[in-house]
């Protein structure tokens, strides 16, 4: 019989296994004894062990208990592992007895010993550390305790703390080493594990931000900073360190330090894809002898024939068959997404098709509807027929005029967005106007979607869902890995693929043969050795290949026959190439480029002239110079206002980085002032104005405009953008702190992030504790199902609102609902009567509508359907007259429940759908989840299985996010059905 193999697991929930099967003892102290011996790694006196584990007994009885436990262990372990001497015990790990903690410590001790000797960590050490952290299943003896042995528990806690430090140290070393190898995805895996263990560690956040930035994922770096801010505020009530904030600003402005170069000691092992073979051709940097430039558009579109045909097929579906199509183009930065689509669009323009192209910019990701506004502005500027604008129905133009005031010229102002179904009507107005302006049929191309603002993304999801209804080809390009599988856009695309109206294009790097074709197209007659070198240097990234060829044609690089062994990389790489191109233009042109980089988006002539401070003639001459050098390209279509942009984002980033801080401040101030001079649509620019004032050092003005930007975003139900603007205004010292904290709390409540909402209300309390804030906090407890806490909060609110009849009525109403949930219906009824009386005496229709809604809910639960209908219909009439969407949704939902009780499923579905549309438009996620759940049940009852599954899936996803944010299991969150 083979000898048994025992495994002791202490990292995580403790467990002893025999040949892979759990081995249990009748006393927990047997496992505690093994753990103590394994962790101490040396012999222990019996008296010490007896006193530790049986401290409540005298010495004689304690030793007797130890003997019994030891006897039990010896039988179970069959003599393996334990070393029993006359007065001592030890645990010996060998081939028959394996301990995860022993293995973990062995790997760590090897590395620490190497470092103590002044040596470097080798590849074998890295492998060892990775094996060590792979053993970490959780805290030392997680979930294990000996309540009658407090000294053991104190020892266990200390060991757990030491091991936690060891594993975070290991994760830090692994992250640093992989980052030094430029293996940023691996480095990020370890920083994420580091943060999971130590979520308050700013060093780990800093590493994560830096590695994301170096990995060309700046948006995720900025997200990591925001997570850091949120958790430090929530857990410690402190802001991040100044160094962390400075890193955030550097990444946001694309001026963070580049990664250190690979060294011989840190370079990854040679593989087929990165080995550089010896060659007698070497490329060296030169700065003289410029020759005629070959424009980027002069290069053929290499290696993209299949993707081109996919685009052609999508266009044919739209223009020949009137079928809407979505086209998704993904790939890494510099892979040629923009080039592929722009060449295709140019071919479509020549064929007479209507094309609208807009790019998203990183600095605009928090500005509400900026991408949608850009599409409408661009399409409006290229109208081919004079009467095309007038052909759009007035109600749709009114809605779109919220974003583009020019569309509303001569029309009355649009109604406020707090009327019934206003948000849906707003979205539909944007859609109808976009279709009319962009051609029907037509093509709309949104580039760099990884930087799109959240409000525009929401509308894009709305538009994408209706693609089959419209002859539009919507092309979207973004960097791979930007959107998670749970994002709104990903969900829309998943549904669209099932209906087969999505074309997905993923671009890969060029092969060696394709790089050779591209090089020989730009440098006819050159030897293939040069193409081979450029393939090895660029790893097949088209943008870099073109830049090297451009540099060679300009005389900035030349070949050199070198007999020395090995391949010498081009000094400085692509960065030096770009800098050499910038040096090729004159001083005035460089100043114009600096101004353009600070503007931060596609720019027009007048803005560039105003910001740069140059004359009209100088600006024209400078633009001609930079466009001839292909540093800047024209964006406009024929017969429209000319706009310009950098030919690549890397050029913009480099120009901004190389502009002195003092000059950047001056230029940011000029941009802010130029935006303020605009009359039409200035509201939509408040976020940009605030940003530029902030970069200019004028924090007072910046705070003012960020607050206005938040108000504007909130008016459009762009809740996330509004929240970001309010928080920035607070960080910059806006004087109305209490008001901003309250507004942030209101938005967090809509988003279902209740802990954050309560925190914001508490911050507002500090400056101005009042009945309204206490009442809002009470309602949060109500939504979480914490009825007792809600009642306590309502009592406090009522004491402060005793002379405010209207507010007191609303407090009584929600108070009665909490009592009802606690089955205290008699008290609930009395409070509701008081609520109705106060509402009537104050003449407050809102308070009256709320009271009628709860009265209907209570009547339904008491089986009085007619009374319930009467009260709820009264609430619905009043809330509609007041334009109160939340209250309308509540009354509709509760009415639907009454109709369900009476067996009228069709009516129940109709009312629930109307309620869902209202709360979805407002971004009220908790109520959205509840209504989706209710609707799923109704669909199931009517046999609509697919619709039911879809609703329930969405509902569960939202509920789970809300509960995750709450941090603990709170069944009240999931049990919401009526309110």
């Amino acid at each position: 019989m083979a000898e048994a193999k025992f495994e002791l697991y202490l990292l995580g929930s403790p467990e002893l296994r025999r040949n892979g099967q759990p081995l249990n003892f009748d006393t927990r102290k047997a496992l505690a004894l093994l753990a103590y011996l394994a962790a101490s790694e040396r012999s222990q006196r019996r008296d010490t062990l007896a006193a530790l584990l049986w401290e409540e007994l005298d010495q004689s009885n304690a030793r007797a208990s130890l003997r019994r436990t030891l006897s039990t262990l010896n039988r179970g372990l069959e003599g393996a592992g334990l070393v029993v001497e006359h007065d001592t015990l030890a645990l010996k790990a060998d081939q028959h007895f394996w301990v995860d903690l022993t293995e973990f410590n062995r790997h760590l001790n090897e590395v620490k010993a190497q470092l103590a000797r002044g040596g470097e960590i080798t590849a074998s050490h890295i492998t060892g550390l990775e094996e060590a952290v792979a053993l970490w299943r959780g805290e030392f003896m997680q979930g294990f305790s000996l309540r009658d042995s407090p000294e053991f528990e104190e020892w266990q806690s200390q060991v757990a703390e030491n091991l936690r430090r060891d594993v975070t140290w290991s994760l830090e070393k692994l992250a640093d080493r992989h980052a030094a190898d430029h293996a940023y995805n691996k480095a990020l895996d370890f920083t994420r594990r580091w943060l999971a263990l130590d979520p308050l560690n700013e060093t780990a956040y800093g590493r994560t931000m830096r590695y994301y930035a170096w990995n060309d994922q700046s948006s995720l770096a900025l997200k990591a900073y925001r997570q850091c801010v949120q958790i430090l505020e929530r857990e410690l009530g402190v802001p991040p360190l100044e160094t962390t904030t400075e890193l955030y600003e550097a990444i946001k402005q694309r001026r963070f330090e580049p990664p250190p170069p690979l060294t011989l000691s840190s370079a990854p092992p040679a593989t087929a894809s990165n080995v550089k073979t010896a060659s007698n051709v070497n490329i060296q940097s030169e700065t003289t002898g410029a020759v005629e430039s070959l424009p980027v558009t002069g290069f053929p579109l290499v290696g993209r024939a299949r993707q081109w045909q996919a685009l052609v097929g999508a266009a044919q579906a739209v223009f020949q068959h009137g079928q809407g199509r979505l086209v998704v183009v993904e790939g890494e930065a510099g892979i040629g997404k923009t080039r592929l689509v722009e060449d295709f669009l140019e071919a479509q323009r020549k064929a007479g098709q209507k094309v609208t192209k807009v790019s998203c910019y990183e600095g605009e990701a928090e500005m509400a509807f900026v991408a949608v506004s850009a599409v409408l502005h661009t399409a409006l500027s290229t109208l081919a027929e004079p009467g095309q604008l007038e052909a759009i129905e007035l109600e749709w133009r009114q809605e779109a005029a919220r974003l583009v005031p020019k569309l509303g010229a001569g029309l009355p102002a649009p109604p406020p967005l707090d009327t019934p179904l206003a948000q849906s009507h707003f979205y539909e107005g944007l859609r109808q106007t976009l279709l009319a302006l962009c051609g029907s049929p037509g093509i709309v191309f949104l580039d760099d979607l990884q930087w799109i603002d959240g409000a525009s993304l929401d509308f894009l999801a709305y538009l994408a869902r209706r693609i089959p209804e419209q002859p539009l080809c919507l092309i979207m390009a973004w960097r791979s890995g930007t959107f998670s599988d749970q994002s709104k856009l990903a969900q829309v695309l998943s549904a669209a693929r099932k209906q087969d109206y999505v074309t997905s294009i993923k671009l890969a790097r060029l092969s060696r043969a394709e790089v050779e074709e591209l090089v020989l197209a730009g440098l006819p007659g050159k030897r293939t050795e040069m193409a081979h070198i450029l393939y090895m240097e660029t790893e097949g990234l088209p943008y870099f290949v073109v830049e090297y060829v451009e540099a060679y044609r300009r005389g900035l690089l030349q070949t050199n026959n070198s007999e020395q062994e090995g391949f010498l990389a081009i000094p400085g790489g692509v960065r030096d190439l770009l800098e050499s191109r910038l040096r090729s233009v004159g001083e005035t042109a460089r100043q114009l480029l600096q101004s353009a980089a600070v503007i931060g988006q596609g720019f027009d002539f007048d803005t560039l002239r105003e910001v740069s401070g140059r004359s009209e003639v100088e600006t024209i001459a400078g633009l001609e110079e930079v466009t001839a050098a292909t540093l800047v390209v024209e964006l406009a279509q024929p017969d429209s206002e000319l706009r310009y942009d950098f030919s690549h984002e890397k050029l913009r980033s480099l120009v901004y980085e190389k502009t002195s801080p003092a000059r950047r401040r001056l230029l940011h101030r000029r941009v802010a002032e130029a935006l303020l001079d605009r009359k039409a649509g200035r509201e939509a620019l408040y976020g940009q104005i605030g940003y530029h004032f902030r970069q200019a050092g004028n924090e007072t003005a910046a705070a003012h405009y960020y607050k206005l930007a938040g108000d504007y975003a909130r008016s459009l139900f762009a809740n996330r953008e509004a929240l970001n603007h309010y928080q920035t205004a607070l960080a910059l010292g806006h004087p109305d702190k209490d008001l901003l904290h309250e507004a942030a709390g209101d938005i967090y409540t809509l988003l279902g992030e209740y802990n954050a909402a309560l925190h914001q209300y508490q911050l507002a309390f500090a400056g101005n504790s009042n009945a309204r804030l206490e009442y809002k906090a009470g309602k949060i407890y109500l939504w979480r199902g914490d009825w007792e806490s809600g009642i306590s909060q309502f009592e406090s609110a009522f004491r402060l609102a005793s002379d405010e009849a209207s507010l007191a009525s609303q407090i009584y109403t929600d108070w009665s609902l909490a009592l009802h949930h606690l089955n205290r219906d008699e008290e609930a009824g009395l409070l509701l009567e008081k609520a109705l009386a106060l509402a009537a005496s104050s003449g407050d229709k809102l308070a009256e509508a709320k009271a009628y809604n709860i009265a209907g809910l209570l009547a339904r639960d008491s089986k009085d359907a007619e009374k319930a209908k009467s009260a709820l219909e009264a609430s619905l009439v009043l809330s509609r007259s007041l334009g109160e969407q939340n209250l309308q949704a509540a009354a509709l939902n509760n009415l639907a429940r009454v109709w369900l009780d009476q067996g009228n499923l069709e009516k129940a579905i109709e009312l629930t759908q109307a309620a869902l549309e209202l709360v979805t438009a407002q971004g009220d996620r908790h109520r959205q989840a509840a209504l989706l759940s209710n609707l799923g049940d109704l669909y199931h009852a009517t046999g609509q299985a697919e619709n039911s599954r879809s609703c329930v899936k969405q509902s569960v996803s939202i509920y789970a996010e809300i509960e995750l944010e709450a941090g603990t299991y709170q069944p009240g969150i999931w049990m919401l059905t009526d309110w």
Side-chain angles (χ1 to χ4, degrees):
M1 179 182 295
E3 291 190 62
K5 172 70 178 288
F6 294 89
E7 296 169 332
L8 178 60
Y9 294 91
L10 298 173
L11 301 176
S13 179
E15 185 180 16
L16 181 64
R17 297 178 187 173
R18 181 184 186 276
N19 295 331
Q21 298 300 314
L23 182 61
N24 298 314
F25 299 100
D26 59 1
T27 172
R28 292 168 63 82
K29 295 196 176 175
L31 195 55
L33 177 60
L34 289 177
Y36 190 84
L37 293 173
S40 61
E41 296 184 339
R42 63 176 185 272
S43 297
Q44 296 290 335
R45 292 179 57 80
R46 293 192 182 218
D47 285 344
T48 301
L49 296 170
L52 176 70
L53 296 174
W54 290 275
E55 59 184 279
E56 79 281 5
L57 302 179
D58 58 36
Q59 185 179 26
S60 176
N61 286 323
R63 285 185 65 109
S65 296
L66 175 63
R67 284 194 300 274
R68 286 193 294 273
T69 301
L70 191 57
S71 175
T72 300
L73 276 173
N74 269 321
R75 286 197 302 273
L77 294 175
E78 303 171 10
L82 279 175
V83 179
V84 182
E85 302 291 346
H86 172 68
D87 200 38
T88 61
L89 297 175
L91 189 68
K92 181 181 180 183
D94 54 24
Q95 68 270 26
H96 303 300
F97 197 98
W98 179 89
V99 183
D100 61 351
L101 178 59
T102 304
E103 284 296 297
F104 179 86
N105 286 332
R106 180 176 67 81
H107 289 305
L108 253 67
N109 291 337
E110 288 176 1
V111 176
K112 289 180 177 179
Q114 177 78 351
L115 293 175
R117 293 192 296 268
E120 292 186 356
I121 300 179
T122 65
S124 65
H125 289 131
I126 292 298
T127 302
L129 280 182
E130 289 179 339
E131 291 176 359
V133 298
L135 292 169
W136 187 269
R137 298 177 301 122
E139 299 286 348
F140 176 68
M141 300 191 78
Q142 188 170 315
F144 184 91
S145 65
L146 291 180
R147 295 183 179 178
D148 59 348
S149 303
E151 189 175 340
F152 176 85
E153 289 199 335
E154 184 177 344
W155 168 84
Q156 178 185 336
S157 176
Q158 184 60 51
V159 173
E161 179 61 30
N162 292 338
L163 287 171
R164 192 182 304 114
R165 282 198 293 267
D166 282 341
V167 77
T168 54
W169 180 86
S170 303
L171 292 168
E172 180 178 6
K173 293 296 180 187
L174 287 168
D176 288 348
R177 178 54 188 265
H178 285 300
D181 292 345
H182 291 195
Y184 299 120
N185 286 329
K186 282 188 176 181
L188 285 162
D189 285 340
F190 291 114
T191 62
R192 282 191 284 267
R193 292 188 63 183
W194 183 5
L195 282 170
L197 279 171
D198 190 2
L200 299 178
N201 193 307
E202 277 198 61
T203 301
Y205 278 110
R207 295 279 211 289
T208 301
M209 292 162 62
R210 189 170 279 109
Y211 299 159
Y212 271 134
W214 287 346
N215 203 35
D216 204 16
Q217 294 175 287
S218 294
S219 61
L220 293 179
L222 302 180
K223 182 179 179 182
Y225 174 79
R226 289 191 288 270
Q227 291 172 341
C228 175
V229 172
Q230 187 177 28
I231 197 167
L232 291 178
E233 173 67 28
R234 184 174 67 242
E235 300 296 331
L236 303 177
V238 299
L241 296 172
E242 187 175 341
T243 52
T244 309
T245 302
E246 287 174 354
L247 176 60
Y248 165 74
E249 293 293 344
I251 293 172
K252 189 174 181 180
Q253 298 168 21
R254 308 290 294 175
R255 55 177 177 82
F256 54 90
E257 78 279 8
L262 283 168
T263 63
L264 289 176
S265 62
S266 68
T271 66
S273 63
N274 63 26
V275 66
K276 295 186 171 84
T277 56
S279 171
N280 62 0
V281 180
N282 178 40
I283 301 179
Q284 294 185 333
S285 180
E286 290 284 331
T287 57
T288 59
V291 298
E292 181 182 358
S293 167
L294 176 69
V296 175
T297 53
F299 286 87
L301 197 61
V302 172
R304 302 295 187 237
R306 182 172 54 83
Q307 293 85 353
W308 180 276
Q309 286 305 314
L311 287 169
V312 170
Q316 287 175 342
V318 174
F319 293 109
Q320 295 180 14
H321 306 292
Q323 301 170 350
R325 298 291 298 182
L326 280 176
V327 180
V328 175
V329 184
E330 296 182 68
E332 63 184 304
I335 201 69
K337 302 182 293 294
T338 304
R339 168 69 195 282
L340 168 67
V341 180
E342 286 189 338
D343 278 16
F344 170 74
L345 295 183
E346 183 59 28
Q348 295 300 312
R349 285 192 193 99
K350 290 179 178 177
Q353 311 297 4
K354 173 72 174 179
V355 170
T356 306
K357 186 253 180 177
V358 163
S359 294
C360 302
Y361 297 93
E362 187 171 13
E364 298 176 348
E366 295 179 358
M367 300 173 189
F369 290 108
V370 67
V372 179
S373 298
V375 171
L376 296 175
H377 275 293
T378 302
L380 189 59
S381 68
T382 58
L383 287 180
E385 302 174 10
Q388 195 171 345
L389 182 60
E390 288 70 24
I392 304 172
E393 290 187 33
L394 297 185
E395 63 172 322
W396 303 138
R397 284 175 55 193
Q398 270 188 310
E399 293 297 335
R402 299 179 195 275
L403 304 183
V404 184
K406 184 177 179 181
L407 289 167
L411 299 178
L417 278 176
D418 56 358
T419 54
L421 304 179
Q423 179 78 347
S424 297
H425 199 259
F426 171 47
Y427 273 13
E428 186 59 20
L430 292 179
R431 185 176 81 96
Q432 295 290 349
T433 305
L434 184 146
L435 289 172
L437 295 179
C438 296
S440 190
I443 302 176
V444 173
F445 174 37
L446 281 163
D447 199 9
D448 284 326
L449 210 71
Q450 68 273 6
W451 290 323
I452 194 170
D453 62 281
S456 291
L457 186 58
D458 287 343
F459 170 72
L460 201 59
Y462 176 91
L463 180 66
R465 281 192 293 269
R466 290 156 178 79
I467 280 291
E469 307 169 13
Q470 56 211 13
L472 180 71
C473 182
L474 178 59
I475 305 176
M476 303 176 290
W478 64 73
R479 291 183 187 173
S480 298
T482 302
F483 297 105
S484 73
D485 291 340
Q486 301 304 314
S487 70
K488 291 180 182 177
L489 188 59
Q491 292 171 4
V492 170
L493 292 177
S494 176
R497 287 188 178 99
K498 294 177 183 177
Q499 299 179 47
D500 198 28
Y501 61 84
V502 175
T503 299
S504 295
I505 298 174
K506 291 188 177 181
L507 298 184
R509 294 192 175 194
L510 302 180
S511 67
R512 189 188 304 271
E514 289 165 344
V515 169
E516 182 173 337
E517 181 182 350
L518 192 58
V519 170
L520 294 180
L523 301 171
K526 284 294 173 187
R527 292 169 299 179
T528 57
E529 288 92 339
M530 185 172 183
H532 167 71
I533 292 172
L534 290 186
Y535 172 74
M536 304 307 295
E537 182 65 25
T538 65
E539 296 183 346
L541 202 63
Y543 174 69
F544 289 171
V545 176
V546 170
E547 283 298 325
Y548 277 123
V549 172
E550 276 286 290
Y552 180 81
R553 288 184 60 83
R554 292 172 178 274
L556 304 176
L557 299 173
Q558 64 178 18
T559 55
N560 173 41
N561 292 327
S562 172
E563 299 298 328
Q564 64 185 21
E565 290 295 321
F567 178 84
L568 298 179
I570 299 170
V574 172
R575 181 185 173 89
D576 274 2
L577 286 175
L578 298 181
E579 287 183 346
S580 68
R581 291 190 59 192
L582 294 174
R583 288 195 297 270
S584 70
V585 299
E587 180 63 26
T588 300
R590 280 200 293 273
Q591 288 184 8
L592 289 174
L593 290 174
Q594 291 173 341
S595 301
V598 169
I599 292 170
Q601 58 182 329
F603 52 91
D604 57 58
F605 176 86
D606 289 333
T607 303
L608 182 65
R609 177 184 53 76
E610 188 175 348
V611 173
S612 67
R614 289 290 179 173
S615 68
E616 186 170 306
V617 173
E618 288 174 323
T619 305
I620 291 172
L623 273 174
E624 289 175 344
E625 185 176 359
V626 294
T627 52
T630 66
L631 297 171
V632 166
V633 294
E634 293 182 1
L635 298 179
Q637 308 305 317
D639 303 321
S640 68
E641 178 188 17
L642 281 175
R643 292 183 65 80
Y644 304 85
D645 199 1
F646 283 87
S647 59
H648 198 277
E649 182 61 29
K650 290 184 181 295
L651 278 170
R652 181 201 311 279
S653 300
L654 182 59
V655 171
Y656 188 91
E657 178 187 332
K658 294 180 71 64
T659 304
S660 70
R663 183 162 183 79
R664 281 203 298 260
R665 282 197 166 203
L666 169 67
L667 294 174
H668 276 296
R669 177 176 61 78
R670 288 180 178 175
V671 174
E673 292 169 349
L675 294 176
L676 278 173
D677 285 341
R678 297 187 183 180
K679 304 301 179 186
R682 192 166 66 183
E683 281 184 322
L685 302 174
Y686 283 149
Q688 294 181 48
I689 294 168
Y691 166 77
H692 287 293
F693 271 130
R694 185 181 188 184
Q695 300 308 313
N698 189 342
E699 293 191 349
T700 301
H704 172 72
Y705 284 104
Y706 272 119
K707 194 267 183 186
L708 293 179
D711 293 342
Y712 174 70
R714 195 177 181 188
S715 73
L716 299 173
F717 297 123
N719 293 324
R720 285 289 181 191
E721 289 78 4
L723 188 60
N724 290 333
H725 291 318
Y726 287 148
Q727 289 175 332
T728 304
L730 280 166
L732 293 173
H734 195 283
D736 294 334
K737 289 185 178 180
D738 298 341
L739 183 65
L740 288 171
H741 281 307
E742 183 178 354
D746 293 345
I747 294 173
Y748 275 128
T749 301
L750 281 175
L751 296 172
E753 298 180 23
Y754 294 139
N755 283 346
L758 282 172
H759 180 61
Q760 290 299 318
Y761 289 147
Q762 287 162 1
L763 292 174
F765 288 161
N768 181 25
S769 182
N770 59 47
R772 185 183 68 257
L773 292 171
E774 296 276 359
Y775 172 50
K776 287 181 177 181
K779 288 198 292 184
I780 289 179
Y781 288 118
L782 213 61
W783 287 105
R784 287 164 58 160
D786 188 350
W787 319 119
E788 297 287 359
S789 296
I791 289 172
S792 175
Q793 202 77 39
F794 293 143
E795 289 174 343
S796 299
F798 183 75
R799 284 194 295 270
L800 293 169
S802 56
D803 58 345
E804 299 178 54
S806 173
L807 182 57
S809 171
Q810 296 182 52
I811 295 169
Y812 270 147
T813 298
D814 284 293
W815 192 343
S816 70
L817 180 60
L819 289 168
H820 169 66
H821 282 294
L822 292 172
N823 297 318
R824 294 158 61 181
D825 287 344
E826 185 176 348
E827 296 173 71
L830 291 172
L831 282 186
L832 195 56
E833 288 178 9
K834 292 180 180 180
L836 283 165
L838 284 169
S841 67
S842 65
D844 188 331
K845 297 300 182 184
L846 174 60
E848 190 176 356
K850 287 185 175 183
Y852 276 130
N853 177 57
I854 301 304
L857 190 153
L858 298 182
R860 173 187 175 251
D861 285 354
S862 63
K863 310 302 181 185
D864 191 339
E866 293 309 314
K867 184 178 178 181
K869 280 184 186 178
S870 176
L872 291 169
E873 286 169 355
S875 176
L876 187 57
V877 169
L878 284 169
S879 58
R880 279 177 172 164
S881 68
L882 296 167
E884 283 290 335
Q885 287 182 290
N886 269 332
L887 198 48
Q888 289 175 66
L892 287 166
N893 174 62
N894 293 333
L895 268 174
R897 308 285 291 171
V898 175
W899 284 108
L900 172 63
D901 294 340
Q902 297 183 324
N904 192 332
L905 296 177
E906 289 186 7
K907 184 67 173 180
I909 288 174
E910 176 191 339
L911 294 171
T912 306
Q913 287 174 331
L916 177 60
E917 194 166 357
L918 284 167
V919 299
T920 303
Q922 284 196 305
D924 193 331
R925 299 177 72 251
H926 195 175
R927 294 151 187 82
Q928 182 185 5
L931 286 163
L932 283 166
S933 178
N934 291 350
L935 193 57
D937 291 342
L938 290 168
Y939 281 140
H940 178 75
T942 55
Q944 301 180 58
E946 184 61 33
N947 286 339
S948 177
R949 280 193 294 271
S950 175
C951 287
V952 171
K953 184 178 179 180
Q954 294 177 65
S955 174
V956 169
S957 176
I958 298 172
Y959 272 138
E961 290 175 13
I962 295 171
E963 185 187 48
L964 180 65
E965 189 274 339
T968 58
Y969 176 62
Q970 295 178 342
I973 288 174
W974 291 79
M975 293 168 64
L976 184 66
T977 56
D978 44 22
W979 56 94

